[in-house]
Amino acid sequence: MKKTLVSCYVIVCGFFFVPDRAQGVNFTWSIVGDTGNPSDPDNSRRSLGSVSYDYRISRFEVTNAQYVEFLNSVDPLGANSHSLYSSEMTLSTGISFSSSNSVGQKYGIGFSDFNHRPVNNVTWNSAARFVNWLNNGQGSGDTEFGSYDMTLVKPFSAPTRLLGAKYVLPSHDEWYKAAYYAPGSASANGDDYWFYPTQSDNAPVFEEIPPGGANSANVGTWTGIGIPITEIGAYSMTESYYGLFDMAGNVDEWVEDHFFGEDLASHLIKGGSFFSDRNMRSDDFSSMFGESGNFFTGFRVAMIPEPSSVFLCLLGFLILLSPRTARRK
């Protein structure tokens, strides 16, 4: 009996513990812990920032090179049936399309120094399809279902996070916590939340050449555009408490949440950009329709870890030791 239980235990652990295989698109993750943190009491718009679970979020925004990998994987013939590519990307990202290129290489980056700059001119719908693709193993993975059901993209309806989703667009709370929360910080308000995602209650220094200082960001204003989009992490001395770069400036970022206006789903945007300082402060955000995009909005991704292998092994072992199992001799 003991030998049988040990053998079954090994089988259960082996079944549940499947290490992630190497993928074409990889991310450097920051773990956002401090589970069950309080929400920000100083945000006048709504209670934000409290998250009841650990999660991971990419330290950097999704790059042009990563998005091109996605395009060539899911649209090798260049059909563009889901409008994942826009010709407007050519100038803002360097991403271009050529029908004469070989299958699977229809999309490329025309400017060599644009590979590691954040992708932009990406709609919320395209960003959601990108994380669906991640969730389904990349390669020829499905873009329409996985983390979000994209058949729900229609007036008065919008996709929400599906049960079991692993790769996602960060929710407003997840993005907010990763950007502004710092437990035990010296925040001017003494509430563990900064006003800006640079671990500061003072606005970042604008238009400073990278790497800048401890509170710098590539941020423009409505009266003057900042320096051009920089490579991810170029402001290497400025990061959030959890080690994320460019949560202030470079490009604005889509978040998961939405509300309805003018009969269409409008999705939230955070972060500020080289074009404008709007959306950068903790109590500020804007929104845009899911099928819209512009030259100063991109995104980053989050990952909700699956139950740990240790927990699953223990669960399987307890099941094997249950009275019902023990009676089977």
Side-chain angles (χ1 to χ4, degrees):
M1 177 63 180
K2 183 177 181 181
K3 182 177 180 181
T4 302
L5 283 175
V6 171
S7 299
C8 291
Y9 174 73
V10 172
I11 291 172
V12 169
C13 288
F15 177 78
F16 284 112
F17 181 66
V18 181
D20 289 339
R21 56 190 175 88
Q23 303 287 4
V25 172
N26 294 290
F27 297 94
T28 302
W29 301 102
S30 282
I31 298 175
V32 182
D34 306 297
T35 302
N37 62 298
S39 58
D40 185 355
D42 286 324
N43 191 307
S44 59
R45 296 204 177 200
R46 55 164 284 200
S47 178
L48 282 167
S50 179
V51 181
S52 61
Y53 47 85
D54 289 349
Y55 60 99
R56 299 179 184 182
I57 189 166
S58 57
R59 296 188 72 191
F60 308 103
E61 294 155 331
V62 174
T63 66
N64 293 320
Q66 290 171 327
Y67 198 77
V68 163
E69 177 78 18
F70 163 64
L71 289 174
N72 282 320
S73 294
V74 301
D75 189 27
L77 299 177
N80 202 24
S81 56
H82 296 303
S83 301
L84 302 174
Y85 169 74
S86 165
S87 59
E88 294 177 357
M89 289 181 173
T90 303
L91 288 178
S92 65
T93 69
I95 298 176
S96 59
F97 169 79
S98 175
S99 59
S100 62
N101 288 348
S102 61
V103 172
Q105 299 296 321
K106 298 291 183 184
Y107 301 92
I109 302 175
F111 311 132
S112 60
D113 59 341
F114 272 43
N115 284 11
H116 300 296
R117 299 189 191 192
V119 69
N120 54 79
N121 263 311
V122 174
T123 67
W124 187 95
N125 296 343
S126 294
R129 287 185 164 101
F130 180 90
V131 294
N132 273 351
W133 174 70
L134 294 176
N135 205 70
N136 293 320
Q138 301 189 33
S140 57
D142 181 33
T143 64
E144 300 309 289
F145 195 80
S147 301
Y148 306 97
D149 182 354
M150 298 307 291
T151 66
L152 298 178
V153 176
K154 58 188 71 173
F156 290 110
S157 183
T160 56
R161 186 179 299 182
L162 297 173
L163 184 65
K166 181 178 180 181
Y167 296 97
V168 295
L169 296 175
S171 69
H172 200 173
D173 281 314
E174 291 163 352
W175 199 100
Y176 195 100
K177 179 178 180 178
Y180 306 112
Y181 187 63
S185 71
S187 169
N189 299 299
D191 59 12
D192 294 341
Y193 281 90
W194 299 107
F195 281 139
Y196 295 94
T198 56
Q199 299 189 67
S200 177
D201 284 321
N202 298 314
V205 177
F206 291 5
E207 303 175 14
E208 193 171 33
I209 301 299
N215 187 24
S216 300
N218 184 13
V219 182
T221 66
W222 291 113
T223 58
I225 297 176
I227 64 177
I229 295 176
T230 56
E231 289 195 357
I232 56 172
Y235 290 87
S236 57
M237 299 177 65
T238 304
E239 59 185 25
S240 74
Y241 171 78
Y242 293 105
L244 278 71
F245 294 93
D246 302 319
M247 297 200 87
N250 224 11
V251 294
D252 279 314
E253 299 176 17
W254 289 111
V255 296
E256 184 180 69
D257 302 46
H258 67 273
F259 60 89
F260 293 102
E262 300 182 23
D263 301 339
L264 294 170
S266 190
H267 295 269
L268 302 187
I269 298 170
K270 285 290 295 178
S273 71
F274 76 100
F275 183 68
S276 167
D277 61 349
R278 187 180 181 185
N279 310 319
M280 184 171 58
R281 189 178 151 110
S282 60
D283 56 359
D284 192 16
F285 65 86
S286 62
S287 65
M288 193 161 54
F289 295 143
E291 72 276 14
S292 301
N294 57 45
F295 64 92
F296 51 88
T297 301
F299 67 106
R300 74 178 68 220
V301 299
M303 184 174 73
I304 311 301
E306 297 171 328
S308 71
S309 58
V310 173
F311 170 78
L312 291 171
C313 287
L314 179 60
L315 178 62
F317 187 59
L318 292 175
I319 291 172
L320 291 169
L321 287 179
S322 67
R324 182 180 178 184
T325 302
R327 285 194 296 268
R328 295 177 180 174
K329 297 182 179 179

